[in-house]
Amino acid sequence: MDGVTLAARHLALTLAGVSLAGTSLGCAGSPALAAQLVAAAQPGHLPLVVSCWEKQVEASGFQGEYVTTVDFTVEGEMSRLRDARVTAVTPDDARGQALATCVAQALNGTTLPRTADGEGPGFAPGTAMAVKGYAIAFVAPSPDERGRAEAQQAHVLLGPRANRCEGLYRYAPPRDVTALSTELEEQEKRAQASAEGSPDQHARALQKVYDIQLELRERLRLDAAAPEVPAANRQRLEEALALVDQDARRTGALIRCEAPPLPR
């Protein structure tokens, strides 16, 4: 694994800002319910949708900005999305159409959490709810585009950064430890499995491991710094933080990165 280098082109997990614009919730709708839906539809709760944009923005050389307008139904009992249909995409070019197809499929494979988790609040409408005209903005990583997306949504997935050694993306705030630990274990297995294949694919897998390690490190740092944490718990968090920091530096060395120092 030593000496693995990343491809010359940047990798990306990109900013996906979700906004509510001209949305109708049918007979079950209300402004409060609409706000709850937007709050629950964080990028972290829409991983398949975010994946559509990751593929699209990487293929385009990290350029472009699209808005898809979607109709779908939220099942009341499970908060599962179904019958998703993209009614418009702007700009309506070949890449936009490919993105629209992917988004519809991704939404049909999405279930929103009914209760709050580390990604944000849940959504439990109680009865089936038809949603029309739901706008999802996909924004590339220029400073202006980031600013617009951050204005649309308080917590968005940001990336890629100018320096991949700082991690190509970040969640704000970082996700919870359990979710990150599970994702890290799965990504480490993928990285190990890719070791005998394409060096480029292996480097990408290692970059993702590194990104998750940095996010987990930040989550542990914030948790350990919380004033309400008992001393014994804080010690365990700090021990875990030190181990994750070592792991991040070890992975960073494989992709020729020096992990940024921990904030004090």
Side-chain angles (χ1 to χ4, degrees), residues 1 184-206 209:
M1 292 168 62
L184 178 58
E185 182 178 359
E186 293 174 351
Q187 187 57 47
E188 285 175 337
K189 290 178 181 177
R190 295 191 188 100
Q192 184 176 5
S194 69
E196 302 301 323
S198 161
D200 180 57
Q201 292 299 321
H202 185 46
R204 290 169 184 267
L206 288 173
V209 169

Side-chain angles (χ1 to χ4, degrees), residues 23-34:
T23 299
S24 167
L25 301 182
C27 61
S30 72
L33 201 57

Side-chain angles (χ1 to χ4, degrees), residues 5-249:
T5 58
L6 289 171
R9 58 190 176 124
H10 290 102
L11 308 178
L13 283 174
T14 67
L15 184 152
V18 182
S19 65
L20 188 68
T23 299
S24 167
L25 301 182
C27 61
S30 72
L33 201 57
Q36 291 171 21
L37 173 61
V38 173
Q42 298 292 324
H45 290 157
L46 302 170
L48 298 178
V49 176
V50 172
S51 179
C52 291
W53 185 232
E54 291 168 4
K55 297 172 185 175
Q56 181 75 14
V57 78
E58 185 174 353
S60 68
F62 315 110
Q63 302 295 323
E65 181 174 358
Y66 290 87
V67 176
T68 61
T69 305
V70 190
D71 295 348
F72 57 89
T73 297
V74 185
E75 291 183 349
E77 292 184 0
M78 299 298 296
S79 294
R80 184 174 72 89
L81 308 189
R82 59 175 172 83
D83 303 331
R85 182 173 65 92
V86 175
T87 59
V89 58
T90 306
D92 188 3
D93 53 20
R95 293 188 185 276
Q97 285 296 325
L99 177 64
T101 299
C102 186
V103 167
Q105 294 173 345
L107 289 173
N108 283 327
T110 294
T111 298
L112 295 174
R114 294 179 62 81
T115 58
D117 60 15
E119 303 288 357
F123 185 64
T127 186
M129 186 180 75
V131 180
K132 297 185 182 298
Y134 194 85
I136 304 178
F138 298 92
V139 188
S142 77
D144 289 345
E145 290 162 338
R146 284 188 181 190
R148 284 196 295 272
E150 287 175 326
Q152 292 169 348
Q153 188 85 330
H155 297 134
V156 294
L157 179 63
L158 294 174
R161 299 185 185 183
N163 181 359
R164 66 177 176 82
C165 293
E166 296 179 359
L168 288 177
Y169 69 94
R170 69 178 172 89
Y171 281 88
R175 293 168 289 172
D176 63 54
V177 170
T178 301
L180 285 167
S181 298
T182 300
E183 184 175 340
L184 178 58
E185 182 178 359
E186 293 174 351
Q187 187 57 47
E188 285 175 337
K189 290 178 181 177
R190 295 191 188 100
Q192 184 176 5
S194 69
E196 302 301 323
S198 161
D200 180 57
Q201 292 299 321
H202 185 46
R204 290 169 184 267
L206 288 173
Q207 178 77 47
K208 290 181 179 180
V209 169
Y210 179 72
D211 292 342
I212 299 167
Q213 288 170 335
L214 290 186
E215 186 183 355
L216 178 57
R217 190 183 73 164
E218 178 63 6
R219 176 75 274 164
L220 289 167
R221 185 189 72 81
L222 292 173
D223 288 351
E228 68 274 14
V229 173
N233 290 357
R234 178 174 291 106
Q235 181 177 350
R236 286 194 290 270
L237 287 167
E238 290 175 346
E239 290 171 354
L241 173 61
L243 290 174
V244 173
D245 183 58
Q246 290 176 9
D247 289 344
R249 295 186 182 284

